[in-house]
Amino acid sequence: MNRSKALYIALAISSLVFAFSWLPVPRLFDVACILLILLFVPATLAPGNHELRKDPLIILGMCFFLYTVISIIWHRLTLPDNFPPTTSDRRFLRVLYFIAIAYAIARSGWLTAWRLLAVAFMGLVAYLTMNFNQAEWVGAWHGARADFGIHNAQHTGIVFSTCALALSVFTPRFYVWIRLAPKLAAFLGLSLWAGAWFFSVWGVFVAQTRAVWLGLCVTLLVLPAILGLAYLLRGRPQLSVRKPLLAGIASVGLLALLVSSLDIPALINERLESEKVTWESLRQAATHEERDLSSIEIRVASWSAAVGWIMEKPFMGWGGRGSRPLIRSSDLFSDAFKKQFNHLHNSYLQTLVEIGLLGAMFIVVLMALIGHATIKAYRQHRMPLDVFLFAWVFFIFWLVVSCFESYIIYPTGTYVIAIVTGFFYSYCLRQKTDPA
């Protein structure tokens, strides 16, 4: 076995450990994060891997790394002493993990994109099994808000929503996989798939995260435009209407069962009416005239303060975790607010405050390059239609929910972005058309 092959095998194993261990074994997850870097960087720099160094995403990642080093030095020289160590700037480099995972899939003979998703879902199931709390599950079934220990309900909603989107989009593909299986195996497979879908959608509702519901609604509204884009890029897909129709009917039936079991309309209505806000209360929150704030007003107050901080240091920001001392030293917030919150409830503002316009530019260009690569791969028949659809519905969903929480600085954002983007970017790295 040559060194390059051994390196990619180790990278594939690290990717699987990364996918499985985030929730059930967090310390192992941290080790996997380090291994992804330690294994992929030498692979990129190896003399025989010229094509890796030609990848625009890898080139951009190297530039982003250099910018991060410069920003760490700059922040160390310019920031007040009460700010945390400026090496925290490097946490924004976590958005690049997906590149290593995608190449591990593309260069591995046994790690596939589908196995990565399966292992990730197994990790979620393992975590929920290991941390099963009967009282919380019973309460969730009866309408209580639950987070199952996944940081908080906002992060729980993200995890279950991502699972629900994937299971929904890939249902026709799963049907194709099992239709030639023996009847008993096919029945068991469909039952497990339907159960996983039902469970994921249930998790979306019991997390009771309004931003997640909004993100899913926007995604559904934009879906016709994504289908139109797919048609413009490659013409009418040669698919049987019967399979999606059957999947849609089954989904509607399961949704009806879920709605009747949980009285979901009442749950949604209660959650939406749990906060009474007016334009005047939002104005007072934005101008910091009111200190007793609701959930929505807390976000408005954070965003209003963030704009001022961005204007003070627009280009390179206040350094990683800079929002924490800014909040604690500000006269705009109450002591209770300062004790409870140290971030800005918005991934975009969080990025601008901590690494500035220059740092944010790298992330924006990264998203543009991924989008271009996805369109190119789909047009060249290297990416299947359902993978293309999933990539774009997830992207729209993530754009919306990131407006209401700083997911980019939490392991939730690190993990979900790495798994989903690594999954579909691996198709962009394919060299030959795969009829499947």
Side-chain angles (χ1 to χ4, degrees):
M1 183 185 298
N2 59 45
R3 181 180 300 178
S4 178
K5 187 175 181 179
L7 191 64
Y8 280 109
I9 289 176
L11 190 61
I13 294 172
S14 299
S15 298
L16 286 178
V17 173
F18 179 96
F20 180 83
S21 63
W22 168 49
L23 288 172
V25 196
R27 291 185 179 180
L28 186 59
F29 174 74
D30 293 338
V31 173
C33 291
I34 296 172
L35 286 176
L36 286 177
I37 299 170
L38 295 179
L39 292 170
F40 188 67
V41 171
T44 303
L45 299 177
N49 286 333
H50 299 289
E51 70 279 8
L52 265 69
R53 293 189 289 274
K54 294 179 181 179
D55 187 331
L57 267 66
I58 293 179
I59 296 173
L60 181 68
M62 292 178 178
C63 295
F64 193 14
F65 171 77
L66 291 176
Y67 170 79
T68 303
V69 172
I70 294 171
S71 71
I72 288 173
I73 297 172
W74 173 255
H75 289 140
R76 179 165 295 180
L77 294 174
T78 60
L79 290 178
D81 294 336
N82 65 320
F83 275 66
T86 57
T87 52
S88 298
D89 291 13
R90 71 183 188 276
R91 63 180 173 168
F92 288 93
L93 293 172
R94 296 171 187 167
V95 298
L96 302 173
Y97 283 149
F98 78 90
I99 301 177
I101 293 173
Y103 271 96
I105 295 171
R107 300 297 178 87
S108 172
W110 52 272
L111 175 60
T112 67
W114 304 103
R115 286 175 182 166
L116 181 79
L117 290 189
V119 169
F121 190 76
M122 288 167 57
L124 173 62
V125 173
Y127 166 80
L128 294 172
T129 303
M130 293 164 54
N131 296 273
F132 180 75
N133 182 332
Q134 183 178 355
E136 184 177 28
W137 284 71
V138 171
W141 187 259
H142 288 92
R145 195 179 192 191
D147 59 27
F148 306 114
I150 306 176
H151 193 75
N152 61 34
Q154 284 83 8
H155 295 251
T156 303
I158 290 296
V159 173
F160 281 99
S161 297
T162 304
C163 293
L165 286 172
L167 290 165
S168 298
V169 173
F170 298 134
T171 293
R173 174 182 290 268
F174 182 75
Y175 174 80
V176 172
W177 282 346
I178 67 166
R179 66 179 178 177
L180 299 178
K183 289 185 178 180
L184 179 59
F187 175 77
L188 291 174
L190 281 173
S191 300
L192 288 173
W193 187 273
W197 183 88
F198 184 93
F199 173 67
S200 299
V201 175
W202 176 74
V204 171
F205 284 111
V206 300
Q208 298 186 28
T209 304
R210 289 163 297 197
V212 167
W213 296 346
L214 176 63
L216 291 175
C217 290
V218 172
T219 300
L220 287 175
L221 291 174
V222 177
L223 182 58
I226 299 174
L227 289 169
L229 175 63
Y231 179 84
L232 290 174
L233 291 175
R234 216 164 75 180
R236 182 178 179 181
Q238 296 180 352
L239 292 175
S240 170
V241 179
R242 182 170 58 88
K243 297 167 190 172
L245 183 61
L246 288 174
I249 294 173
S251 300
V252 170
L254 286 173
L255 270 177
L257 178 62
L258 187 64
V259 168
S260 63
S261 300
L262 293 178
D263 193 14
I264 285 176
L267 185 150
I268 294 176
N269 187 62
E270 180 182 351
R271 181 62 181 155
L272 292 177
E273 293 184 351
S274 60
E275 292 185 49
K276 299 293 184 181
V277 295
T278 63
W279 289 113
E280 178 60 21
S281 67
L282 293 177
R283 185 197 65 79
Q284 290 179 350
T287 55
H288 304 98
E289 297 174 23
E290 177 63 48
R291 297 297 183 95
D292 185 16
L293 304 173
S294 67
S295 176
I296 297 173
E297 291 163 356
I298 284 170
R299 283 163 170 75
V300 172
S302 301
W303 302 340
S304 176
V307 172
W309 296 329
I310 292 168
M311 296 300 291
E312 289 184 50
K313 290 183 177 292
F315 297 110
M316 299 188 73
W318 295 85
R321 293 189 173 89
S323 59
R324 179 181 301 174
L326 287 171
I327 290 173
R328 290 182 177 176
S329 62
S330 175
D331 296 329
L332 300 176
F333 303 109
S334 65
D335 291 338
F337 185 102
K338 294 176 182 180
K339 289 180 181 179
Q340 188 172 0
F341 303 109
N342 55 25
H343 63 279
L344 301 173
H345 298 92
N346 184 297
S347 292
Y348 311 114
L349 293 176
Q350 193 82 35
T351 302
L352 289 170
V353 165
E354 297 194 358
I355 58 175
L357 287 167
L358 296 177
M361 178 187 68
F362 286 99
I363 298 177
V364 171
V365 174
L366 179 70
M367 291 190 295
L369 289 175
I370 294 170
H372 178 265
T374 303
I375 291 173
K376 183 179 178 181
Y378 178 69
R379 181 182 288 158
Q380 295 177 351
H381 294 262
R382 287 181 284 134
M383 177 179 288
L385 173 62
D386 55 353
V387 175
F388 179 81
L389 293 177
F390 177 61
W392 283 98
V393 297
F394 174 79
F395 176 68
I396 298 300
F397 170 74
W398 196 258
L399 284 181
V400 175
V401 297
S402 294
C403 292
F404 303 95
E405 186 57 88
S406 303
Y407 294 111
I408 193 169
I409 64 172
Y410 284 100
T412 309
T414 298
Y415 178 80
V416 173
I417 291 173
I419 294 297
V420 174
T421 313
F423 164 77
F424 67 75
Y425 187 64
S426 67
Y427 283 89
C428 301
L429 302 176
R430 290 186 173 190
Q431 300 300 319
K432 296 180 180 180
T433 300
D434 183 358

